[in-house]
């Protein structure tokens, strides 16, 4: 309106001044004509009066034009300030410092504008809060979320997606290399087909390898036209690992059960089909049946123990047991086996009983499995040393052997079910491949920790740390006992 202000003011002036300009001369002419022929008024007097009437009319025209110009200027300024104010409200959505107007109509307009501005501001605040809440929800979700337009430009990405894909902070497009190129291709497919799709994507170069489940859906505008796509990234690496472990577990259990069962069935069929078999041969087959039955029973018991210590329903007992005594009993149980294998089984046990809270059956299982594992992987002439001691508020139990040791790549997997560093040696010793998995789960169920260190050809040492009750402080000895004073069963 800035270029039209002079024209607007001129038009407004003519609208106001036109009655003065038209009516004043018309009235003067009408009055002058009425003087002609009036009795008692001479022609000269009539002309004099007519001149005065025209003079007054001219004066009224001048005064009217002046008043009209003043009114037009005043009204145009009021309208201009009102226009500028309304434009400011439209631009800032704020109703600040409204102009003062005397015209009732303009005041009503400003009041309506104020109500509209406040309504818009309230709606904008509500929309902004909704946008902030939405951003907070998106940033708080555990899934990665990103959106791309139809040309591949990055519209949005949350921190989770940025961390999963390891992208820099300032980025406008996804890199044109695997695995981003596969992700971009999947998004383009979604945009072209205009319907949701699901893809699995492996992040190459990630250590360890990570797998993503990606759900992609098209983005539509108010006209239902697709202008991009949004992708939700689920890191399913752990889920896929657990699924693989379940498959391996079922396969391993089937194999471990089938092997002794096949032997038992074969031996039993042989004995049944040969009633005249020599007694010595019959005894050998029956011994084989008994041995494999024991192996089968041991496997089932280990599976039941593993299921129990892994189950969510397990509850930690408050009953206290002497860890030293439990370990000592385990040593006694395996002394004959160690002697038969020509292995020195040494015990360096603390004088303190080290009372720990928990299930004595699980604690015995921890001690038995660790000692049995050490004996299984220690050659004749070797040594297995079992220790217990106190470390602050922890009871520490360790088993050290001078056996074959392990390569570093095995250390992260030895606690997995059915994992064997040397399958032939383990099966020869009658192991099920579940012992260390039972140990780890039992220790964790008691709030403890387990660690291992090993060197090929030098041996292995396992540490188990179990929390001591806080009221057991009075039983603490100032320092671990000297090895010579603590030796048992050499």
């Amino acid at each position: 309106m800035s270029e039209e202000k002079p024209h607007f003011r001129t038009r407004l002036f003519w609208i106001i001044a036109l009655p003065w300009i038209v009516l004043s001369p018309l009235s003067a002419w009408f009055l002058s004509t009425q003087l002609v022929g009036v009795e008692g008024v001479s022609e000269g007097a009539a002309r004099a009066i007519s001149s005065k009437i025209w003079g007054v009319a001219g004066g009224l025209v001048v005064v009217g034009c002046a008043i009209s110009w003043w009114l037009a200027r005043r009204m145009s300024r009021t309208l201009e300030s009102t226009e500028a104010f309304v434009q400011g409200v439209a631009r800032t959505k704020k109703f600040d410092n409204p102009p003062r107007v005397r015209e009732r109509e303009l005041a009503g307009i400003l009041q309506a504008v104020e109500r509209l501005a406040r309504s818009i501001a309230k709606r904008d605040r509500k929309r902004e809060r909704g946008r902030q809440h939405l951003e907070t929800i998106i940033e708080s979700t555990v899934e990665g979320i990103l959106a791309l337009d139809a040309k591949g430009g990055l519209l949005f990405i949350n921190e989770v997606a940025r961390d999963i894909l390891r992208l820099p902070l300032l980025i406008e497009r996804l890199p044109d290399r695997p695995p981003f190129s596969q992700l971009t291709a999947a998004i383009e497919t979604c945009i072209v087909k205009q319907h949701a799709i699901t893809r699995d994507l492996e992040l190459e170069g990630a250590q360890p390898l990570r797998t993503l489940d990606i759900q992609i859906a098209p983005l539509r505008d108010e006209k239902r036209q697709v202008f991009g796509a949004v992708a939700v990234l689920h890191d399913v690496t752990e889920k896929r690992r657990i699924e693989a472990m379940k498959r391996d577990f079922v396969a391993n259990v089937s194999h471990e059960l089938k092997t002794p069962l096949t032997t038992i069935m074969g031996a039993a069929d042989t004995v049944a089909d040969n009633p005249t078999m020599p007694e010595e041969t019959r005894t050998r087959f029956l011994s084989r049946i008994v041995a494999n039955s024991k192996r089968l029973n041991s496997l089932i018991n280990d599976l039941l123990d593993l299921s129990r210590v892994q189950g969510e329903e397990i509850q930690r007992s408050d009953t206290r047991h002497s860890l030293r005594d439990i370990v000592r009993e385990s040593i006694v149980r395996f002394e004959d086996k160690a002697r038969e294998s020509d292995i020195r089984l040494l015990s360096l046990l603390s004088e303190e009983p080290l009372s720990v809270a928990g299930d004595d059956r699980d604690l015995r299982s921890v001690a038995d499995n660790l000692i049995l594992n050490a004996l299984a992987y220690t050659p004749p002439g070797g040594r297995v040393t079992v220790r217990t001691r106190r470390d602050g508020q922890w009871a520490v139990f360790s088993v050290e052997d001078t056996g074959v040791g392990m390569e570093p790549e095995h250390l992260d997997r030895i606690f997995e079910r059915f994992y064997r560093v040397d399958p032939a040696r383990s099966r020869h010793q009658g192991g099920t491949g579940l012992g260390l998995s039972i140990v780890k789960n039992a220790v964790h169920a008691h709030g403890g920790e387990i660690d291992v260190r090993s060197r090929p050809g030098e041996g292995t040492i396992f540490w188990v740390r179990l929390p001591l009750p806080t009221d057991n402080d009075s039983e603490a000895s100032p320092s671990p006992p000297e090895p010579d004073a603590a030796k048992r069963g050499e």
Side-chain angles (χ1 to χ4, degrees):
M1 183 179 174
S2 57
E3 297 181 358
E4 298 181 357
K5 287 179 181 178
H7 301 288
F8 173 74
R9 187 176 300 173
T10 301
R11 289 196 298 269
L12 189 60
F13 163 74
W14 283 112
I15 291 173
I16 300 173
L18 187 61
W20 296 86
I21 296 173
V22 174
L23 293 179
S24 295
L26 187 61
S27 299
W29 172 79
F30 176 75
L31 292 175
S32 298
T33 56
Q34 295 299 317
L35 291 174
V36 179
V38 176
E39 289 186 27
V41 178
S42 63
E43 185 177 349
R47 281 198 300 271
I49 294 173
S50 178
S51 298
K52 291 180 179 181
I53 291 173
W54 281 104
V56 170
L60 289 174
V61 169
V62 173
V63 171
C65 288
I67 294 174
S68 298
W69 180 253
W70 177 79
L71 288 174
R73 183 179 181 185
R74 179 172 175 269
M75 291 180 66
S76 65
R77 285 181 175 178
T78 301
L79 290 174
E80 289 168 6
S81 62
T82 302
E83 178 194 17
F85 175 71
V86 172
Q87 289 179 347
V89 171
R91 184 173 58 257
T92 64
K93 306 296 190 299
K94 295 181 180 180
F95 195 87
D96 297 331
N97 302 320
R100 295 183 179 181
V101 296
R102 298 179 182 179
E103 289 76 6
R104 182 180 301 175
E105 293 77 5
L106 290 179
I109 293 174
L110 288 178
Q111 290 176 1
V113 171
E114 179 183 9
R115 289 193 296 270
L116 179 61
R118 296 189 188 283
S119 176
I120 293 174
K122 182 178 180 181
R123 184 185 62 187
D124 288 348
R125 287 194 299 270
K126 185 177 180 180
R127 181 182 299 171
E128 179 64 19
R129 285 195 301 269
R131 185 187 64 81
Q132 292 176 355
H133 290 165
L134 180 59
E135 287 185 357
T136 302
I137 292 171
I138 292 176
E139 290 295 342
S140 301
T141 185
V142 296
E143 287 84 11
I145 301 176
L146 60 89
L148 271 65
D149 60 25
K151 296 182 179 179
L154 192 62
L155 299 176
F156 173 83
I157 182 170
N158 67 350
E159 284 299 322
V160 178
R162 197 183 302 277
D163 291 341
I164 290 176
L165 299 175
R166 298 178 182 177
L167 292 172
L169 186 61
L170 299 178
I171 185 172
E172 296 182 355
R173 303 178 69 88
L174 294 179
D176 188 18
R177 66 175 189 275
F180 307 105
S181 54
Q182 291 95 316
L183 176 57
T184 303
I187 292 176
E188 291 175 352
T189 301
C190 172
I191 294 174
V192 172
K193 294 185 176 181
Q194 299 190 7
H195 64 74
I197 61 174
T198 301
R199 292 285 189 275
D200 278 353
L201 179 66
E202 291 188 349
L203 296 183
E204 299 179 1
Q207 294 296 331
L209 183 67
R210 301 173 69 186
T211 304
L212 302 181
D213 175 68
I214 306 176
Q215 298 179 358
I216 309 172
L219 292 173
R220 301 179 184 273
D221 57 21
E222 61 276 3
K223 296 180 180 180
R224 304 297 297 167
Q225 298 295 318
V226 175
F227 67 91
V230 59
V232 180
L233 314 180
H234 303 266
D235 191 339
V236 294
T237 305
E238 184 66 15
K239 180 180 178 181
R240 296 286 191 268
R241 188 185 70 84
I242 293 175
E243 290 174 352
M245 288 180 62
K246 288 180 178 179
R247 290 193 299 270
D248 293 344
F249 178 72
V250 172
N252 285 325
V253 168
S254 301
H255 175 74
E256 295 294 338
L257 290 174
K258 183 178 180 180
T259 301
L261 281 175
T262 301
T263 303
I264 292 171
M265 291 174 62
D269 288 341
T270 302
V271 173
D273 293 340
N274 295 274
T276 60
M277 179 183 294
E279 189 63 29
E280 182 181 351
T281 305
R282 183 187 301 272
T283 302
R284 188 172 68 252
F285 276 105
L286 291 177
S287 299
R288 189 178 300 174
I289 292 174
V290 171
N292 281 276
S293 298
K294 290 181 178 179
R295 179 182 174 186
L296 193 59
N297 183 68
S298 176
L299 175 61
I300 293 174
N301 287 334
D302 282 352
L303 286 171
L304 292 175
D305 287 342
L306 181 61
S307 176
R308 182 171 52 81
V309 297
Q310 282 187 325
E312 296 180 356
E313 69 278 1
I314 186 172
Q315 295 183 355
R316 183 178 170 185
S317 173
D318 293 330
T319 306
R320 298 183 185 183
H321 307 278
S322 169
L323 179 63
R324 179 197 62 191
D325 293 344
I326 289 175
V327 173
R328 178 182 291 151
E329 292 171 3
S330 293
I331 292 173
V332 171
R333 277 194 293 275
F334 292 105
E335 281 181 343
D336 291 341
K337 181 176 178 62
R339 192 176 300 110
E340 293 171 0
S341 302
D342 191 22
I343 298 173
R344 296 179 64 197
L345 181 57
L346 307 180
S347 61
L348 304 178
L349 306 183
S350 62
E351 294 181 356
E352 182 182 358
L354 299 175
S355 297
V356 296
D359 187 296
D360 61 335
R361 180 174 54 175
D362 290 341
L363 295 174
R364 287 191 180 90
S365 178
V366 169
D368 287 350
N369 278 295
L370 288 179
I371 294 173
L372 183 59
N373 182 78
L375 292 173
Y377 287 92
T378 300
R383 183 180 68 252
V384 173
T385 306
V386 182
R387 297 180 176 88
T388 62
R389 63 183 176 86
R390 181 189 182 98
D391 182 13
Q393 289 302 312
W394 296 87
V396 180
F397 160 49
S398 65
V399 178
E400 182 179 7
D401 64 59
T402 58
V404 297
M406 291 179 286
E407 296 290 344
E409 62 266 20
H410 296 297
L411 297 180
D412 291 335
R413 301 195 59 192
I414 57 174
F415 296 108
E416 294 179 10
R417 294 168 293 188
F418 294 111
Y419 185 80
R420 294 181 175 94
V421 176
D422 186 349
R425 175 187 291 269
S426 180
R427 288 196 175 92
H428 176 72
Q429 295 287 341
T432 62
L434 295 174
L436 292 180
S437 183
I438 292 173
V439 169
K440 178 183 177 181
N441 284 278
V443 170
H444 288 175
H446 285 74
E449 303 170 353
I450 185 168
D451 198 6
V452 59
R453 186 179 65 194
S454 183
R455 289 185 178 179
E458 297 184 11
T460 303
I461 179 170
F462 285 88
W463 290 279
V464 171
R465 290 162 52 88
L466 297 171
L468 291 168
T470 55
D471 59 356
N472 199 40
D473 294 344
S474 60
E475 302 177 9
S477 54
S479 61
E482 293 296 327
D484 292 339
K487 286 187 178 182
R488 300 287 186 273
E490 290 193 29

